[in-house]
Amino acid sequence: MRTAKNIFSCQACGYQSSKWLGRCPDCEAWNSFIEEVPQDRPAIVLRSDAKVEHYPEIENWDGQRITTANPEFDRVLGGGLVPGSVVLLGGEPGIGKSTLLLQICETLAQQGMRVLYVSGEESAHQIKLRGMRLQIRGDRLYLFAETCLEKILAEMDRIQPHCVVVDSVQTVYSSRMESSAGTVTQVREVASQLLYFAKGREVPVFLIGHITKEGSLAGPKTLEHIVDVVLYFEGSRDQSYRLVRAAKNRFGASSELGVFEMSGLGLRPVSNPSKLFLTERSAGMPGSVVLGSMEGTRPLLVEVQALVSVSQYGTGKRTTNGLDSNRLSLLLAMLQRRCGYELHACDVYVNAVGGLSLVEPAVDLAITVAVVSSLLNRPTDPDLVVFGELGLAGEVRSVCAAGLRAREARSLGFSRCALPAGNLPLSEEVEGLELIGMQSLQPDLQRLLL
Ligand SMILES: Nc1ncnc2c1ncn2[C@@H]1O[C@H](COP(=O)(O)OP(=O)(O)OP(=O)(O)O)[C@@H](O)[C@H]1O
Ligand SMILES: [Mg+2]
Ligand SMILES: [Zn+2]
């Protein structure tokens, strides 16, 4: 008789090895290997009765999405929920995953859908307690505190829900697998079984996922491949607002951002986030400038702040918050070489205010303007919004959606906008907004300072 040899798999990325490894050769995580019992079955069983279909004869999807009646959540989903889709919602402990999805359950139930909320973490009483605080009536809402996948699937067969939430995917286990709950093998099995259910019945399924300290879901990479949509809570718990970003979306634009505000009644959608992000702006202070940024398909105004101070030591430190630190180093080197600002012996701190992560190239101009403003101790015009990508020669390069950014600036009362000259003229005139087209940092940058 042959005894099955156990394998070791990385809990961060799913990489498998025949022996224990201290560090994963694939994702470079330390101490991430756990011994698991190997399975012969394929990871994803989509439809065992599927057959070859002739393309023209496949029924057209009429594109009907289910609205969650929550504009910000609809936005991150790409315009509503697609029937049969599997959506993974990840986030740090206590950030509001259960709260948000319980609220979505209620709005779906109010539209006449039967919703099943499966919790492997909290008792039905605990969820009811949260629901009472959120003033959820839950006429068509069913709670099931269970972690065994087979029992959950049996109840799903019985209740025939129109939408299912599983809180969290890491607590659910399949009794057909010997590994313990939360391991890569289990998480993948649970997700693919639920995917099979979702696709077969055209029922949307939400999976809540925990994020480890390092910012990744346990068993994340494998799960991201299986599901249709991946949403992450961004930012910190210390702020009253919460950001949800689409990291992957098979039915819409990714990098779409939803903004919510945490209140006693749960997470409220924020309809005008630019206004929210600028409420505590340090206008008129050196080192502060407003960036016209794009988050997915939406323009968003964000304050970028820099602080430049003489370093205690020979070489300066560079610290960023919500911005790419490599990008900052590169921009500082460029400012030094092309514009002659002495920065190598300075400590430079740059923040995107509000806990946002800004990754698009259009932040370059805002970063340099903020740094030079702080270095020279000269404030920028409080009525100014900037955006633009910078090249290594100090040239200002055009960016996407310049018109949208400019219009957002005007609608929030700004009267001047510095932007790449290459973006001019804008496709549509923005009344009341003075446009400052920039070719290169030198000599144009100083014109933006008071
Ligand atoms: N009475 C209250 N009033 C206002 N906000 C509250 C109240 N009780 C809890 N909260 C907020 O709800 C958050 C917890 O939300 P929730 O339980 O949905 O988080 P979670 O992401 O599901 O956490 P976990 O990972 O532990 O499951 C708290 O961090 C707090 O900000
Ligand atoms: Mg929770
Ligand atoms: Zn790994």
Side-chain angles (χ1 to χ4, degrees):
M1 196 181 81
R2 190 180 144 268
T3 50
K5 208 161 163 278
N6 284 4
I7 46 149
F8 295 84
S9 49
C10 169
Q11 299 303 302
C13 72
Y15 180 88
Q16 295 191 324
S17 154
S18 59
K19 56 182 195 300
W20 188 85
L21 298 173
R23 186 179 199 188
C24 175
D26 199 19
C27 71
E28 304 190 337
W30 292 95
N31 283 326
S32 59
F33 281 81
I34 285 187
E35 188 170 9
E36 294 191 31
V37 184
Q39 305 292 335
D40 299 333
R41 301 189 319 97
I44 304 176
V45 190
L46 191 56
R47 214 165 281 187
S48 46
D49 55 351
K51 52 185 186 302
V52 175
E53 292 177 81
H54 189 201
Y55 175 83
E57 284 149 33
I58 298 171
E59 234 180 281
N60 283 351
W61 180 51
D62 63 358
Q64 275 289 345
R65 288 171 186 256
I66 305 160
T67 172
T68 61
N70 182 320
E72 290 298 295
F73 200 66
D74 276 353
R75 171 192 289 277
V76 280
L77 288 172
L81 200 50
V82 173
S85 62
V86 178
V87 180
L88 174 67
L89 175 66
E92 285 175 30
I95 193 121
K97 303 180 290 295
S98 306
T99 303
L100 180 59
L101 285 188
L102 194 60
Q103 289 180 275
I104 297 299
C105 284
E106 169 75 348
T107 53
L108 291 176
Q110 279 175 357
Q111 298 173 51
M113 291 170 68
R114 204 175 314 119
V115 184
L116 178 64
Y117 190 105
V118 179
S119 179
E121 313 205 317
E122 295 168 294
S123 66
H125 276 291
Q126 264 178 297
I127 301 168
K128 179 82 190 265
L129 206 64
R130 173 182 295 123
M132 281 170 45
R133 177 164 61 79
L134 303 175
Q135 298 183 355
I136 283 173
R137 295 201 357 248
D139 287 340
R140 289 179 204 81
L141 178 60
Y142 296 84
L143 302 181
F144 191 28
E146 179 56 60
T147 53
C148 174
L149 179 66
E150 283 70 28
K151 288 187 189 159
I152 295 168
L153 289 172
E155 281 307 297
M156 279 158 57
D157 253 339
R158 195 175 69 82
I159 297 177
Q160 301 274 332
H162 302 117
C163 178
V164 178
V165 173
V166 176
D167 184 2
S168 67
V169 65
Q170 279 116 336
T171 54
V172 177
Y173 70 95
S174 164
S175 54
R176 286 155 51 185
M177 302 266 157
E178 289 173 55
S179 307
S180 49
T183 56
V184 172
T185 315
Q186 280 288 5
V187 166
R188 208 187 308 182
E189 172 69 13
V190 169
S192 34
Q193 290 281 342
L194 290 168
L195 183 89
Y196 181 65
F197 169 87
K199 303 289 170 208
R201 308 280 176 86
E202 306 231 309
V203 165
V205 173
F206 286 100
L207 305 177
I208 290 181
H210 290 294
I211 287 189
T212 59
K213 288 190 295 298
E214 296 79 35
S216 62
L217 279 166
K221 292 286 177 320
T222 45
L223 213 49
E224 289 192 355
H225 286 301
I226 295 174
V227 302
D228 299 308
V229 181
V230 180
L231 309 179
Y232 284 116
F233 268 98
E234 239 177 48
S236 86
R237 273 174 300 179
D238 311 330
Q239 288 144 344
S240 65
Y241 50 88
R242 301 283 194 276
L243 309 171
V244 177
R245 190 179 307 265
K248 159 181 169 175
N249 193 346
R250 283 184 178 149
F251 316 108
S254 62
S255 86
E256 207 66 78
L257 185 78
V259 184
F260 302 89
E261 193 163 16
M262 182 60 98
S263 70
L265 286 176
L267 287 159
R268 235 175 15 84
V270 173
S271 54
N272 192 343
S274 291
K275 204 167 151 191
L276 177 78
F277 286 123
L278 295 177
T279 40
E280 289 171 22
R281 181 157 75 100
S282 47
M285 291 290 287
S288 158
V289 71
V290 175
L291 160 73
S293 123
M294 285 297 290
E295 294 296 333
T297 55
R298 159 158 74 186
L300 201 59
L301 303 186
V302 191
E303 180 185 359
V304 173
Q305 289 182 333
L307 184 67
V308 179
S309 67
V310 178
S311 176
Q312 302 279 10
Y313 313 99
T315 45
K317 230 173 51 179
R318 280 89 179 81
T319 311
T320 58
N321 217 329
L323 297 157
D324 181 11
S325 57
N326 290 329
R327 194 73 199 164
L328 174 65
S329 303
L330 190 143
L331 292 172
L332 294 180
M334 194 266 293
L335 275 174
Q336 176 125 10
R337 270 305 294 278
R338 305 286 173 213
C339 311
Y341 296 111
E342 282 299 324
L343 286 158
H344 69 266
C346 291
D347 290 337
V348 180
Y349 307 89
V350 186
N351 272 353
V353 179
L356 272 175
S357 300
L358 303 173
V359 288
E360 56 153 359
V363 303
D364 291 355
L365 185 58
I367 294 176
T368 51
V369 169
V371 166
V372 173
S373 162
S374 174
L375 177 74
L376 303 180
N377 208 25
R378 286 171 56 188
T380 57
D381 181 351
D383 287 324
L384 175 77
V385 167
V386 306
F387 58 86
E389 182 180 353
L390 294 175
L392 290 182
E395 79 275 23
V396 182
R397 297 165 162 254
S398 45
V399 297
C400 65
L404 279 176
R405 299 173 201 254
R407 227 171 303 141
E408 177 78 356
R410 184 68 205 123
S411 70
L412 279 140
F414 290 86
S415 58
R416 296 175 79 204
C417 178
L419 71 173
N423 277 122
L424 294 175
L426 293 180
S427 51
E428 207 182 311
E429 202 184 325
V430 186
E431 208 175 313
L433 190 69
E434 179 198 347
L435 299 174
I436 308 165
M438 296 185 62
Q439 295 278 1
S440 69
L441 277 187
Q442 195 75 293
D444 291 345
L445 195 149
Q446 296 238 2
R447 282 168 50 203
L448 306 178
L449 306 178
L450 290 180

